[in-house]
Amino acid sequence: MDGSPLRARAHTETRLGIAEIPLPAPGRLAALAILTRIEGAGYRPLGAAMSLDDRGDIRGHLSAGCIDADIELHLKKVAQDGCPRHLRYGEGSPFIDLVLPCGGALDIAVIPAPPVSAQERMAKAIAARMPFSLHLSGAQGVLTLAPQPETDLSLHLVPEPCFVVFGTGIEAETFAKLAAGAGYQADLVMPEPVTLPGVTSHEFRRSNPLGEIAPDPRMAALLFFHDHDREIPILAQLLESDAFFIGAQGSRRTARQRAVALRRKGLSEAAISRLRGPVGLIEQAREPRLLAVSVLAEVLQLARV
């Protein structure tokens, strides 16, 4: 049984990471399935999406596997006939053979792709790491970049966290590899750049520690040095930047000494208070892998939208 036409609902707003709306290159999008309502337990956040491109490839998922194959069928139908659909799974669903093991119910809007011009604007915002909003009109099955009178779901999308790592030795390399392996953008700045899978390497220059890296409000900066005197010029730049997380490896004693050195450098107490250290959720984590996991967890906890 096909899903029914889309039904308008009361206006809802939600904030989520851009990665929750997986998009192909502009002009390639064929249809989108957007999670518009969650009753009870839910595996994915409100506003998460699956996409179908013009080659038939699927991106994203809206369940742990129990309904994604059925959603894929509806995406292909919408791409073919251009008619939006409303799907309901779980309690009150017409799909009695598709059970949600976690209980509750999910409403999903399956809609045709927005115009190519809108896709291009979205791609530019994503490339520039700029937040933007999408607005779904359920009754019409239309997704726009500007709110409409019929809008019933607004998705406020923010860039994924990214990382810039400064340091020397195994701790810096291990953290950069972990962040990149988890799918995040990672830049590693070292006196002698190394080649690591998925990591962009930069040579450290004392005269301009950040180089071409421009921290934004969704960037985390981490310092892994044993020679803590090398940190001060870097932190002097970072603490005046837009980076949302700035952390440095070291003991509590080192953190106090670091704060003294930054005051001598002329930084304000407000700027110094932004510095987190010792970093990591696990106290006294010294093994490089444990330290990396501990620090990544702390950053992502603060980065949650």
Side-chain angles (χ1 to χ4, degrees), residues 6-16 20-21 32-38 45-49 62 86 107-111 132-157:
L6 292 181
R7 299 176 300 209
R9 293 187 178 276
H11 182 255
T12 302
E13 301 199 16
T14 187
R15 187 171 181 262
L16 66 166
E20 300 292 352
I21 310 287
L32 273 172
I34 301 174
L35 181 55
T36 59
R37 186 178 177 86
I38 303 170
L46 182 69
L62 294 180
H86 169 262
D107 285 354
I108 296 168
V110 187
I111 63 172
F132 64 97
S133 297
L134 296 174
H135 305 275
L136 176 67
S137 173
Q140 299 177 344
V142 174
L143 192 69
T144 61
L145 286 161
Q148 305 296 320
E150 302 85 3
T151 294
D152 38 61
L153 178 62
S154 293
L155 312 175
H156 303 297
L157 299 161

Side-chain angles (χ1 to χ4, degrees), residues 2 27-33 50-58 71-85 109-114 141:
D2 282 353
R28 304 298 303 273
L29 183 62
L32 273 172
M50 288 175 62
S51 68
L52 171 73
D53 69 18
D54 56 0
R55 294 177 179 174
D57 292 332
I58 293 289
I71 296 171
E72 180 176 345
L73 294 176
H74 289 284
L75 280 164
K76 292 177 178 178
K77 290 178 181 179
V78 169
Q80 290 171 355
D81 61 26
C83 297
R85 288 166 169 77
V110 187
I111 63 172

Side-chain angles (χ1 to χ4, degrees), residues 87-274:
L87 308 177
R88 184 173 177 87
Y89 298 96
E91 185 178 354
S93 171
F95 310 121
I96 57 175
D97 56 334
L98 295 175
V99 179
L100 296 179
C102 55
L106 301 176
D107 285 354
I108 296 168
V110 187
I111 63 172
V116 174
S117 59
Q119 296 179 46
E120 290 173 342
R121 289 171 59 192
M122 292 157 59
K124 287 180 180 179
I126 293 171
R129 294 185 52 79
M130 295 294 293
F132 64 97
S133 297
L134 296 174
H135 305 275
L136 176 67
S137 173
Q140 299 177 344
V142 174
L143 192 69
T144 61
L145 286 161
Q148 305 296 320
E150 302 85 3
T151 294
D152 38 61
L153 178 62
S154 293
L155 312 175
H156 303 297
L157 299 161
V158 297
E160 286 292 289
C162 67
F163 297 85
V164 57
V165 183
F166 298 85
T168 55
I170 190 65
E171 292 92 350
E173 294 179 25
T174 300
F175 181 85
K177 286 191 294 185
L178 178 66
Y184 297 102
Q185 176 185 326
D187 289 75
L188 178 59
V189 185
M190 303 185 77
E192 296 181 5
V194 296
T195 301
L196 300 174
V199 177
T200 302
S201 294
H202 306 263
E203 183 179 357
F204 174 72
R205 300 183 185 279
R206 282 187 177 273
S207 59
N208 182 17
L210 296 188
E212 297 179 354
I213 297 171
D216 63 42
R218 294 285 288 169
M219 175 179 279
L222 285 308
L223 280 67
F224 296 92
F225 286 101
H226 295 282
D227 179 2
H228 298 292
D229 290 339
R230 305 183 73 166
E231 300 170 339
I232 304 307
I234 304 170
L235 291 172
Q237 279 191 294
L238 287 173
L239 292 171
E240 299 292 347
S241 75
D242 291 331
F244 83 95
F245 186 105
I246 304 165
Q249 177 187 16
S251 65
R252 288 183 172 83
R253 179 173 177 270
T254 298
R256 292 192 294 269
Q257 292 173 338
R258 192 182 285 128
V260 171
L262 290 169
R263 291 187 189 98
R264 290 173 180 165
K265 188 76 173 176
L267 272 75
S268 68
E269 292 300 321
I272 295 171
S273 68
R274 298 183 59 208

